Amino acid sequence: MSYTLFTADIHLHPDDLHPINQAFYQFLEFEAPKADALYILGDLFEMWVGDDIGLEAYATVIALFKKLTTKGTPVYLLYGNRDFLMRHAFWEATGIQHLKEPVTISLYDQSLLLLHGDVLCTDDKAFQRMRKILRNPIIMRLFLRLPKKKRLQVGDSMRRSSQQHTQHKSETIMDVNTKAIEHLMVKHPRCDHLIHGHTHRPAHHPFVVQNKQKHRWVLGDWRPETQILKISSSGTLELIEPKLI
Ligand SMILES: [Mn+2]
């Protein structure tokens, strides 16, 4: 039976020998080619501060993606809160197709709604304020014009402050907001399944909106055991741990 795979939050490290990178490379080489398609719902990279830096730093995975897409497995990706500065050279080098969130897709007769998930964390006001600034097209353009060294410095300091930020916040503040989910589902009434990552709390949450049964699937990260979503052509959805050789 054919199937499609969904993953998120791999947070690839620039060091090829990092165990997460190794696990993901194995997955791309041996598991992903068996699927009809692969969807990556954000935060594939720990940090992406420009195609000129990233394509070099992540050369191994870029080549693996190119091989996968060239051999005929479509790969789709939407931005995460860590990696939203991939531009033309990235799509070109990998053959990955860019999706803009929130995106609805139709798969094996099911209507799915996909997003990274950070926009649903509306209780974290400081995070949302920062997000708005960072995703401003003018700010992004100015940032990408900075010299390489400067971009790496800014990226590093943002990573550090994000780590501190998450250490001191309560679990509830950093989780998704129920109202935000309801609002989103009302806006997309045909979708029965919402799939996202970001919180690193893999789970299946059935819920009801306007008397209709809905499902929220949260993807896991890759630390250490991962949870990805498999949707079979028969219509079943399940969170699975990919076999890594
Ligand atoms: Mn994230």
Side-chain angles (χ1 to χ4, degrees):
M1 189 175 305
S2 61
Y3 56 86
T4 293
L5 298 173
F6 294 76
T7 186
D9 301 300
I10 304 110
H11 292 261
L12 287 174
H13 200 269
D15 177 8
D16 265 338
L17 297 176
H18 194 287
I20 304 294
N21 290 44
Q22 289 294 320
F24 190 66
Y25 298 168
Q26 298 280 322
F27 169 77
L28 284 185
E29 209 159 357
F30 301 106
E31 291 303 316
K34 297 183 206 158
D36 287 342
L38 170 67
Y39 285 80
I40 302 169
L41 306 189
D43 286 355
L44 167 64
F45 301 103
E46 176 69 5
M47 181 170 105
W48 191 273
V49 288
D51 289 352
D52 52 347
I53 296 173
L55 291 178
E56 219 171 275
Y58 295 104
T60 309
V61 82
I62 301 297
L64 286 170
F65 275 124
K66 189 66 178 178
K67 192 172 149 200
L68 181 65
T69 55
T70 308
K71 282 193 166 174
T73 309
V75 180
Y76 303 93
L77 181 142
L78 46 87
Y79 288 148
N81 56 305
R82 298 293 193 103
D83 55 355
F84 50 89
L85 292 171
M86 289 87 100
R87 296 294 182 261
H88 183 71
F90 172 80
W91 311 114
E92 190 70 27
T94 54
I96 296 178
Q97 299 172 60
H98 184 201
L99 299 176
K100 288 191 181 132
E101 71 164 20
V103 60
T104 58
I105 59 160
S106 209
L107 190 67
Y108 315 125
D109 286 334
Q110 310 218 47
S111 206
L112 315 170
L113 181 55
L114 317 175
L115 75 173
H116 177 55
D118 56 327
V119 288
L120 299 171
C121 301
T122 51
D123 295 328
D124 194 343
K125 304 278 186 236
F127 173 84
Q128 295 300 338
R129 263 197 307 274
M130 192 44 122
R131 187 184 191 280
K132 212 170 162 189
I133 297 167
L134 295 175
R135 303 296 277 268
N136 179 308
I138 298 164
I139 305 271
M140 289 194 288
R141 217 171 307 137
L142 288 174
F143 177 79
L144 287 174
R145 277 193 206 152
L146 293 173
K148 280 187 185 180
K149 206 173 149 200
K150 188 78 202 157
R151 276 181 278 147
L152 284 166
Q153 277 171 359
V154 176
D156 269 336
S157 74
M158 284 182 47
R159 251 182 66 201
R160 272 197 301 274
S161 76
S162 150
Q163 274 161 2
Q164 280 173 355
H165 171 91
T166 39
Q167 265 167 21
H168 296 110
K169 291 239 165 155
S170 82
E171 293 273 301
T172 7
I173 283 182
M174 288 190 302
D175 204 354
V176 294
N177 174 290
T178 333
K179 285 264 179 307
I181 292 164
E182 271 182 37
H183 184 71
L184 186 72
M185 297 316 277
V186 169
K187 264 172 89 178
H188 299 90
R190 289 186 51 244
C191 294
D192 293 329
H193 298 273
L194 166 65
I195 306 168
H196 71 85
H198 182 67
T199 59
H200 302 212
R201 298 172 203 191
H204 168 216
H205 302 277
F207 63 111
V208 175
V209 173
Q210 295 178 328
N211 296 319
K212 276 199 198 150
Q213 183 66 55
K214 306 279 178 184
H215 301 267
R216 182 165 69 91
W217 300 86
V218 188
L219 305 167
D221 55 19
W222 287 60
R223 283 160 177 72
E225 69 292 325
T226 184
Q227 298 265 298
I228 68 172
L229 183 70
K230 177 180 178 179
I231 306 187
S232 303
S233 52
S234 64
T236 55
L237 291 86
E238 54 181 335
L239 281 167
I240 57 157
E241 215 176 293
K243 274 186 264 97
L244 300 170
I245 301 144

